[in-house]
Amino acid sequence: MPEPIVTIRDLVKRYDDGFEALSGVDLDIREGEILALLGPNGAGKTTLISSICGITRPTSGTITVGGHDTQTDWRRARDLIGLVPQEVKLEPFEMVAKTVAFSRGLFGKPHDPALIQRVLDSLSLGDKAGTPNMALSGGMKRRVLIAKALSHEPRVLFLDEPTAGVDVELRRGMWEVVADLKAQGVTIILTTHYIEEAEAIADRVAVIDRGRIRLVEETAALMARMGRKEMTVTLADPIKTLPGTLAEHGLTLSEDGYAVTYVFDSRAERTGLTRLLSDLLATGVRVTDVTTRQSSLEEIFVGLTNAAETGEAR
Amino acid sequence: MNLTAIRAIYFFEMSRALRSIGQSLISPVLSTSLYFVVFGAAIGSRIEEVEGVPYGAFIVPGLIMLTVLTQATSAAAFGIYFPKFIGTLDEVLSAPMSFFEVTLGYVGAAATKALFIGLVILGTAFFFVDLSIAHPLWMAAFLVLTCLSFALLGFIIGIWAENFDQLQLVPLLVITPLVFLGGSFYSITMLPPAWQTVSLFNPVVYLVSGFRWSFFGQADVAVGVSLAMILVFLALCLGAIWIIFRTGWKLRK
Ligand SMILES: Nc1ncnc2c1ncn2[C@@H]1O[C@H](COP(=O)(O)OP(=O)(O)OP(=O)(O)O)[C@@H](O)[C@H]1O
Ligand SMILES: [Mg+2]
């Protein structure tokens, strides 16, 4: 396995008021991957990203980016990093193109108006180059933030909820931008509250909750390993109540009586499927269709954090 | 040294200043002209020469210092406070720049602005009084050093300030008294001995004295001492800023 591009070891962040936002985070980010950082409000996502980017000072622990320690070799570490912050912060009176060019300058890259224009075009901001930031809509401002981060051609890009407040069409457009960047070899870490976003574009998902990484897993493997599945059996003739033997299986009957649904854990040793199906056939009902559905990442995620909660409460 | 980054901050700040150049100039030019009218013409006609220099001319260096100090301090304080306030400073803090580079960009821009205003006021002074400059190069050197050191002080104030009131109050409460008590309008040799000693703790005394020497060839304190004190003040401010960035005080969470 090649060296990870970002390594985080035992990272602790205690804010001045004594609140511990990160309680020992360990995480490796692979070069070229898209990693989605998922977690509820206040989980520590922004704190984690800010610590890597040098905006927040870690209390203890080490972070390296491209092999450079962010504390001791910060200049070379930061050279590689682009950050799209969660909150929209822009100079109100400055023109879009100038704001973006400023970011490139800050990272020591030579002036390159053609590149800036290309970046703006790729984010559908091409015609806004000469507009002052304050005259942009919220979604446009967010895209200016992305343009600022891309202007200095980072190798590792952090996107802190990049698609919050962006309409559906543009969100898809942004996913394309992210996919293009990945194709160019950029490593991307994004936090998001839109689960379908992680599901759609992330290679791996890291779940963070109350300052700890609870799980890191390939998106597909996670779905397969943890997926609760739902089987729906459609009947030829409606039934009013479940026949005796079926009642024990915890099925739900649809209102019109045409469908019974069974929820099971596909990871479990015993799914109960075999017994259910034989019991079903024994009742003599006529079946017209059987479908199964994988639960979404969101459902998995809610289940996971709830489990952690009850686990800790005990 | 990340020169590109320093330039980026410097020109970004300068273009911000240029957008309001009219406002930046009109107030200092107007108030200085009023000083000339009141002190130079009205009162000055009743005051004899000070150390062989007509009073109207004698106050010119002090007046320039008064404006330059105030402008350098408030420009630098605002220059760093504004991005801190709206949150764009985070980007600067995450850039591959050292504290010295960031400081140089912001302080350089504020000092340039103050220097420009100082020169405009010097130009204005020629309309009111007969003036000749004995040591033009030293004059320029003192002016630049003053702009830089007080921009550094303003930079610290801007980092420290948590609201607009603090931002304006401190320059007003600290700089104005220092300047007025720093011999801008009189020679400190005119003070009683005890107050002369107290004045020696006021950094502005050395600035005004050295600056005045560059005009008229005479000073309250030796020029070498003036220069040394300015450099000490400058070094102290730089040291303070180094510590601020080192500890992240008021900047990094
Ligand atoms: N400057 C601060 N001082 C004290 N506590 C803070 C500070 N910033 C954040 N916190 C706390 O740290 C915790 C983590 O905050 P963080 O912003 O990292 O969460 P997040 O995962 O990004 O949440 P969200 O999804 O809402 O953006 C929260 O409980 C928050 O209240
Ligand atoms: Mg956040």
Side-chain angles (χ1 to χ4, degrees):
Chain A
M1 174 138 306
E3 280 289 293
I5 184 110
V6 178
T7 66
I8 302 164
R9 290 287 171 273
D10 203 22
L11 183 65
V12 174
K13 172 60 189 180
R14 208 170 295 114
Y15 281 108
D16 290 343
D17 60 7
F19 183 82
E20 198 171 273
L22 298 176
S23 329
V25 167
D26 288 297
L27 184 65
D28 282 341
I29 298 165
R30 299 174 191 156
E31 177 143 30
E33 76 170 335
I34 300 179
L35 177 79
L37 201 55
L38 277 179
N41 287 134
K45 302 181 294 292
T46 301
T47 306
L48 177 59
I49 289 184
S50 303
S51 305
I52 303 172
C53 298
I55 294 169
T56 299
R57 302 164 61 81
T59 306
S60 64
T62 54
I63 305 169
T64 66
V65 178
H68 310 293
D69 188 303
T70 55
Q71 294 287 312
T72 53
D73 198 6
W74 50 268
R75 205 191 279 271
R76 282 201 274 175
R78 290 184 196 172
D79 264 337
L80 307 174
I81 300 177
L83 167 65
V84 179
Q86 178 172 9
E87 280 166 56
V88 177
K89 298 160 178 171
L90 287 170
E91 290 271 340
F93 306 108
E94 209 51 77
M95 311 278 187
V96 168
K98 220 163 156 188
T99 314
V100 176
F102 174 67
S103 300
R104 185 172 168 83
L106 278 187
F107 280 74
K109 299 276 162 68
H111 194 50
D112 188 346
L115 180 135
I116 302 290
Q117 189 59 44
R118 270 205 307 284
V119 169
L120 289 178
D121 285 340
S122 73
L123 291 158
S124 335
L125 284 170
D127 55 336
K128 299 288 179 195
T131 310
N133 291 324
M134 62 181 172
L136 298 178
S137 77
M140 293 175 191
K141 284 183 189 152
R142 199 162 272 289
R143 278 178 281 148
V144 172
L145 291 182
I146 300 181
K148 279 166 80 70
L150 295 185
S151 70
H152 48 84
E153 304 161 285
R155 264 180 67 202
V156 186
L157 180 65
F158 292 89
L159 297 153
D160 202 351
E161 293 182 36
T163 53
V166 170
D167 66 37
V168 178
E169 193 184 333
L170 275 173
R171 188 178 307 159
R172 299 214 167 269
M174 259 181 215
W175 292 356
E176 276 166 30
V177 171
V178 169
D180 280 352
L181 287 168
K182 179 183 152 78
Q184 291 162 32
V186 179
T187 307
I188 295 149
I189 297 89
L190 61 95
T191 75
T192 173
H193 288 163
Y194 299 109
I195 306 304
E196 62 276 23
E197 192 158 276
E199 219 171 316
I201 58 176
D203 299 313
R204 288 198 306 160
V205 175
V207 175
I208 180 171
D209 185 37
R210 271 161 301 159
R212 286 206 171 80
I213 300 280
R214 305 285 170 180
L215 168 126
V216 189
E217 178 112 54
E218 310 282 332
T219 313
L222 176 69
M223 303 293 294
R225 188 170 69 86
M226 292 214 43
R228 273 150 48 94
K229 278 196 159 178
E230 211 177 74
M231 180 180 69
T232 305
V233 180
T234 314
L235 308 174
D237 308 302
I239 52 173
K240 283 214 174 58
T241 51
L242 292 166
T245 47
L246 285 185
E248 306 156 13
H249 289 280
L251 300 174
T252 44
L253 181 63
S254 68
E255 254 172 50
D256 61 8
Y258 274 106
V260 285
T261 307
Y262 177 60
V263 180
F264 62 98
D265 191 342
S266 61
R267 296 176 299 149
E269 188 91 333
R270 293 168 170 279
T271 58
L273 276 182
T274 322
R275 214 157 60 79
L276 170 66
L277 288 175
S278 61
D279 284 355
L280 188 72
L281 293 177
T283 62
V285 295
R286 276 176 53 224
V287 174
T288 59
D289 194 14
V290 178
T291 57
T292 62
R293 192 177 71 83
Q294 184 107 29
S295 58
S296 72
L297 200 48
E298 179 157 29
E299 290 161 301
I300 294 172
F301 169 60
V302 168
L304 194 78
T305 44
N306 283 346
E309 219 151 276
T310 47
E312 254 161 53
R314 253 176 244 138
Chain B
M1 195 76 140
N2 192 342
L3 275 180
T4 316
I6 300 171
R7 266 209 304 272
I9 293 181
Y10 181 85
F11 286 112
F12 199 77
E13 288 302 302
M14 287 312 284
S15 85
R16 191 210 301 287
L18 281 176
R19 270 201 299 267
S20 56
I21 184 79
Q23 294 159 42
S24 314
L25 274 180
I26 189 128
S27 134
V29 169
L30 185 73
S31 59
T32 320
S33 304
L34 288 175
Y35 277 119
F36 278 126
V37 172
V38 175
F39 285 107
I43 301 176
S45 58
R46 290 159 191 259
I47 298 182
E48 294 164 29
E49 297 187 334
V50 180
E51 293 163 358
V53 181
Y55 189 67
F58 178 82
I59 62 170
V60 169
L63 275 181
I64 295 176
M65 275 292 157
L66 173 69
T67 314
V68 161
L69 287 184
T70 330
Q71 290 294 324
T73 312
S74 59
F78 184 77
I80 187 74
Y81 177 79
F82 188 65
K84 191 182 78 160
F85 178 67
I86 63 171
T88 52
L89 194 64
D90 278 355
E91 185 185 25
V92 176
L93 294 178
S94 68
M97 297 183 76
S98 69
F99 96 94
F100 188 67
E101 292 159 351
V102 174
T103 308
L104 216 55
Y106 283 105
V107 165
T112 308
K113 191 179 159 195
L115 181 66
F116 180 67
I117 292 173
L119 293 176
V120 169
I121 288 175
L122 180 61
T124 315
F126 282 103
F127 284 102
F128 290 92
V129 289
D130 275 339
L131 208 56
S132 61
I133 303 171
H135 311 285
L137 281 181
W138 278 109
M139 196 270 312
F142 272 112
L143 201 56
V144 169
L145 278 176
T146 306
C147 290
L148 273 179
S149 48
F150 276 78
L152 284 171
L153 180 68
F155 191 71
I156 298 172
I157 294 172
I159 292 175
W160 164 81
E162 274 166 10
N163 54 53
F164 276 99
D165 288 337
Q166 291 181 341
L167 194 64
Q168 296 184 320
L169 207 63
V170 172
L172 215 67
L173 283 182
V174 179
I175 307 298
T176 315
L178 282 184
V179 174
F180 273 88
L181 302 176
S184 307
F185 303 111
Y186 54 88
S187 161
I188 59 164
T189 54
M190 294 155 87
L191 294 174
W195 284 107
Q196 283 192 32
T197 315
V198 172
S199 294
L200 292 181
F201 290 97
N202 180 352
V204 176
V205 166
Y206 302 96
L207 293 177
V208 172
S209 168
F211 196 48
R212 190 175 285 140
W213 169 84
S214 69
F215 277 78
F216 309 120
Q218 47 195 286
D220 292 350
V221 288
V223 183
V225 177
S226 280
L227 198 62
M229 290 308 270
I230 298 174
L231 292 176
V232 166
F233 184 63
L234 201 134
L236 282 179
C237 289
L238 259 183
I241 295 170
W242 179 73
I243 293 171
I244 287 173
F245 274 77
R246 189 79 213 216
T247 58
W249 182 70
K250 301 259 187 182
L251 288 177
R252 288 192 168 93
K253 280 174 248 128

